Amino acid sequence: MKRKKIFIYTLLVLLVAGTGAGFYIYKEYNRKHKDTANLKPDFSAPAAQLLGEFGKDEKSANAKYLGKVLQVDGLVKDIVKDEKGFYTIVVGDTASMSSVRCSIDSVYNGQGATVNKGTAIAVKGICSGYNADEMLGSDLILNRAVIEKN
Amino acid sequence: MKNYFVLAAAFMLFAVSSSAQKFFTKSGKIEFDATTSSSPEKIEGVNKTATCVLDSKSGALQFSVLMKGFAFERALMEEHFNENYVESNKFPRAEFKGTVANNDAVNYSKDGTYSVTVKGKLTLHGVTKDVETAGKLTVQGGKVSAVATFPVLLADYNVTIPGLVADKVAKTAKIGVTCALEPLKN
């Protein structure tokens, strides 16, 4: 009788643990990307300052910013629309070749149409990294970006 | 005086026609596909912020792509790609440096589609290897679009697939490249 009870309890515990693990795996597997609009920026800085930091020491800037939520302030240098209609907002000083390129999150793509060249903007996005290029100008890339202030 | 004018005009015309020597984009598309027949779903990511430069004179071709810029539909898949497979914190960038081997066969001033062979070195996950692939260059109205697909054996670049999912992730990933290149104005 006692043995049977232990057996049943063990079974019950295993069942609960199994269901819990299964549920966790299912949830993790179907987890959506975090909505950038709801994320608090880890860093907020003008475009020129960020580009300066990456230009000076890419390695330590990568360690500081890579994968983090960045809010960038600056002037809209260019608005690029790709063949599928997705927007990239290029932020930076027109006198400089370098800029921060922000790929607008597909969910918020409509925001791209509201942007005007030469106006001040604040864009929030996930820092994907820095492409140094002397000929074309260096770029800092933000992905899943949303426009904060326009 | 008139002659000078003609000379200046001729010179300007020459300058315009010869200036489009380099073509570039900063929004090239690179697709990564590691789906195999036993995968439960598509394993693919896309990066739309690749930089590409093509020198029409020498045929020199360069790509640079940020690994963190690959977007996957599932957040978990994207994290695994970055953290466990390509280790994008340690190796943030993949690069290709090469040439269009049959560059002479491409007439950059005449519209048309040209089959090309591209040879060069691909650096990914800190490992550099020679790659060669067939692709297509399409010249239209002074712009060049480049399309290619090539296989990448993940083990070649020290990308290890954990045993648990080894049969669900392709050992050879398909890489697709689509770039619309604009002439570089100097």
Side-chain angles (χ1 to χ4, degrees), chain B residues 37-72:
Chain B
S37 52
S38 55
S39 304
E41 61 182 328
K42 283 201 163 150
I43 304 170
E44 51 185 20
V46 59
N47 186 314
K48 289 188 277 194
T49 53
T51 303
C52 171
V53 186
L54 168 67
D55 187 327
S56 61
K57 205 171 181 185
S58 66
L61 183 65
Q62 267 191 50
F63 282 94
S64 174
V65 60
L66 293 165
M67 300 315 283
K68 274 200 192 294
F70 278 92
F72 288 76

Side-chain angles (χ1 to χ4, degrees), chain B residues 135-186:
Chain B
K136 276 196 165 67
L137 287 180
T138 304
V139 178
Q140 199 182 27
K143 290 179 185 178
V144 180
S145 64
V147 180
T149 25
F150 61 96
V152 161
L153 181 64
L154 296 175
D156 272 357
Y157 298 89
N158 293 342
V159 175
T160 44
I161 301 160
L164 195 65
V165 291
D167 58 331
K168 295 188 178 57
V169 178
K171 291 186 173 46
T172 303
K174 244 190 337 210
I175 311 294
V177 180
T178 318
C179 287
L181 306 169
E182 307 261 341
L184 178 69
K185 296 169 198 101
N186 290 317

Side-chain angles (χ1 to χ4, degrees), chain A residues 28-34 58 62 66-67 80 82-84 86 88 97 99 101 103 127-133 135-139 141 143-144, chain B residues 22 24-27 29 40-41 48-53 62 64-76 78-79 88-89 92-93 184 186:
Chain A
E28 262 298 284
Y29 183 68
N30 286 304
R31 180 158 49 88
K32 294 265 186 304
H33 288 290
K34 281 179 187 149
E58 190 185 338
N62 267 336
L66 216 54
V80 186
D82 77 359
E83 77 283 358
K84 281 187 182 151
F86 291 114
T88 299
M97 286 279 280
S99 37
R101 298 177 72 88
S103 304
C127 177
S128 303
Y130 182 71
N131 255 334
D133 196 315
M135 188 175 61
L136 303 175
S138 307
D139 293 300
I141 311 282
N143 270 3
R144 292 205 177 90
Chain B
K22 284 200 170 80
F24 84 106
T25 185
K26 287 186 171 188
S27 50
K29 195 163 84 177
E41 61 182 328
K48 289 188 277 194
T49 53
T51 303
C52 171
V53 186
Q62 267 191 50
S64 174
V65 60
L66 293 165
M67 300 315 283
K68 274 200 192 294
F70 278 92
F72 288 76
E73 207 174 305
R74 288 192 191 281
L76 191 66
E78 188 170 311
E79 282 166 22
S88 56
N89 272 330
R93 205 169 18 231
L184 178 69
N186 290 317

